Amino acid sequence: MSSSYKLLQRQLRRLPLPRGMILDGSRVLKQQYLLGKAKRFEHLLHQILDQEQYKKISEVLDAIYKVDKPQWYKEFENIPYMKVKGHWPTVHLIDSLTDNEDPKKTYYNKLPQPFSVTQALNINTESLREPLPLIKRYAEQINPVVDIIKEVRKVYAFIMSQRIFDVTKHPFEVFYYPSKLGIPEHPVGLDSLLRKKVSQVKRVLETFQPIQKSQLEKLMNARGSINSRFFLHLQRKRSKQTTSFQVKKLIIKEKILSEEQLQDIIQKYLRQQYYLENASYKLNKL
């Protein structure tokens, strides 16, 4: 069952964040609640306050300061991998494994070919003086998928180039390996590699989302001491636990966070923020 608006706001005011960030979050939470989109806040508040998953603080800050995402980002979030098939950059390792053109020719002849209108209609394109009207109109269209991939590749390359991001550096391209017989994998296997690559890139962009420069400035201005209500909440929570005194002492010793530890979490988040300016991505400078 969904939590009430007042309960969510009360929980938000207990977060281990500076007061300015909580005030910004309160306004965003109100907007999201009215839109029926407060489930993410509800889930994160539970993880931080009840389960003490303090690494989720970065996700709360994302929810507060990264509501307005670029259009290409929103489209890529929901795009099925089959829609990027034929447009996503690929590398066929047969090209680097041999200089002999015969194995390469065999390999590429075995690759699944994209659908062709002229082949389906058995039309000899060399005999056409002018393109078919349908083909001409299709060729003149701008493919939005290509533009989305271009933007995704640009931001992905930036993330991979920066040491500040805790991410394994994988190439953007899909690598296709020939089989022992020197032919491509089964089409199902090829699609599986593409699906895994798109999912991997989506995870990276979800973890390290770009931020609007105006929102970054707002975030930086909201810095300050950690909310004192959080420490009161933690003390009350400890006192209510039905555990022995010795166990409770151990929990307090291991789990309770200091102002410095929480500030370190926030500082790390701030250092990982980047924004687009003059067609280039720039890392936040503290």
Side-chain angles (χ1 to χ4, degrees):
M1 185 176 178
S2 298
S3 300
S4 69
Y5 173 70
K6 288 185 178 179
L7 176 59
L8 289 175
Q9 286 286 4
R10 189 159 60 246
Q11 290 175 328
L12 183 71
R13 289 194 293 270
R14 294 173 182 163
L15 283 178
L17 293 173
R19 178 173 171 77
M21 295 180 187
I22 291 174
L23 290 174
D24 289 340
S26 178
R27 288 187 284 268
V28 174
L29 174 57
K30 181 178 180 180
Q31 295 169 355
Q32 295 297 298
Y33 191 87
L34 292 173
L35 293 171
K37 298 180 179 180
K39 201 69 181 176
R40 184 184 182 190
F41 270 102
E42 183 178 349
H43 186 55
L44 289 170
L45 290 170
H46 171 69
Q47 288 179 311
I48 294 172
L49 296 175
D50 297 332
Q51 299 179 344
E52 301 190 28
Q53 298 181 29
Y54 298 113
K55 290 183 179 180
K56 295 293 181 179
I57 288 174
S58 61
E59 292 187 33
V60 169
L61 293 174
D62 279 351
I64 296 172
Y65 294 101
K66 298 180 182 179
V67 178
D68 298 323
K69 301 174 183 177
Q71 184 61 32
W72 64 263
Y73 185 98
K74 290 187 285 188
E75 291 180 9
F76 182 63
E77 276 184 311
N78 301 308
I79 199 168
Y81 82 95
M82 285 300 290
K83 200 166 183 179
V84 304
K85 186 176 179 179
H87 304 293
W88 197 275
T90 59
V91 175
H92 293 276
L93 290 179
I94 188 73
D95 294 325
S96 59
L97 293 175
T98 179
D99 293 327
N100 192 327
E101 292 301 320
D102 290 337
K104 291 182 182 180
K105 185 176 180 181
T106 301
Y107 176 89
Y108 282 106
N109 284 339
K110 293 286 185 179
L111 270 178
Q113 299 300 315
F115 176 77
S116 169
V117 175
T118 53
Q119 288 181 4
L121 298 176
N122 197 24
I123 297 173
N124 184 358
T125 55
E126 294 180 358
S127 64
L128 291 174
R129 293 183 179 180
E130 293 185 6
L132 293 173
L134 175 64
I135 299 175
K136 185 177 181 180
R137 285 198 299 270
Y138 181 80
E140 290 173 351
Q141 290 178 354
I142 297 174
N143 191 333
V145 175
V146 174
D147 292 335
I148 292 171
I149 294 174
K150 182 180 178 181
E151 294 294 338
V152 171
R153 189 173 194 174
K154 181 177 179 179
V155 71
Y156 185 83
F158 177 81
I159 294 171
M160 292 296 118
S161 69
Q162 302 296 324
R163 292 183 178 181
I164 191 66
F165 299 113
D166 300 326
V167 61
T168 305
K169 299 189 185 305
H170 292 291
F172 186 77
E173 300 83 2
V174 183
F175 281 74
Y176 293 126
Y177 298 81
S179 70
K180 293 180 180 179
L181 299 176
I183 60 176
E185 284 191 50
H186 189 277
V188 174
L190 297 177
D191 286 349
S192 177
L193 290 172
L194 175 61
R195 183 177 66 251
K196 289 177 181 177
K197 174 56 65 177
V198 173
S199 297
Q200 179 253 320
V201 173
K202 282 185 177 182
R203 285 194 300 271
V204 171
L205 265 64
E206 182 182 2
T207 305
F208 304 108
Q209 302 174 30
I211 188 172
Q212 291 184 359
K213 189 177 181 181
S214 59
Q215 287 297 103
L216 177 58
E217 291 171 352
K218 189 176 181 181
L219 170 61
M220 296 294 286
N221 291 333
R223 288 178 294 177
S225 300
I226 298 298
N227 171 31
S228 59
R229 291 185 181 182
F230 165 72
F231 297 106
L232 291 174
H233 157 76
L234 212 54
Q235 289 174 3
R236 286 196 299 267
K237 183 182 175 185
R238 297 286 184 249
S239 65
K240 291 179 181 178
Q241 287 182 343
T242 56
T243 54
S244 68
F245 178 71
Q246 291 298 325
V247 173
K248 198 178 293 184
K249 278 179 61 179
L250 182 62
I251 292 174
I252 292 173
K253 183 178 179 181
E254 291 183 348
K255 281 277 198 170
I256 198 163
L257 293 181
S258 66
E259 170 89 17
E260 291 75 18
Q261 288 172 306
L262 291 167
Q263 290 289 1
D264 284 345
I265 293 173
I266 294 172
Q267 284 296 102
K268 181 180 180 181
Y269 177 83
L270 293 174
R271 286 194 296 270
Q272 291 180 336
Q273 298 315 299
Y274 65 100
Y275 57 94
L276 186 66
E277 185 177 62
N278 298 326
S280 298
Y281 284 104
K282 297 182 180 180
L283 203 60
N284 183 27
K285 294 181 180 179
L286 297 180

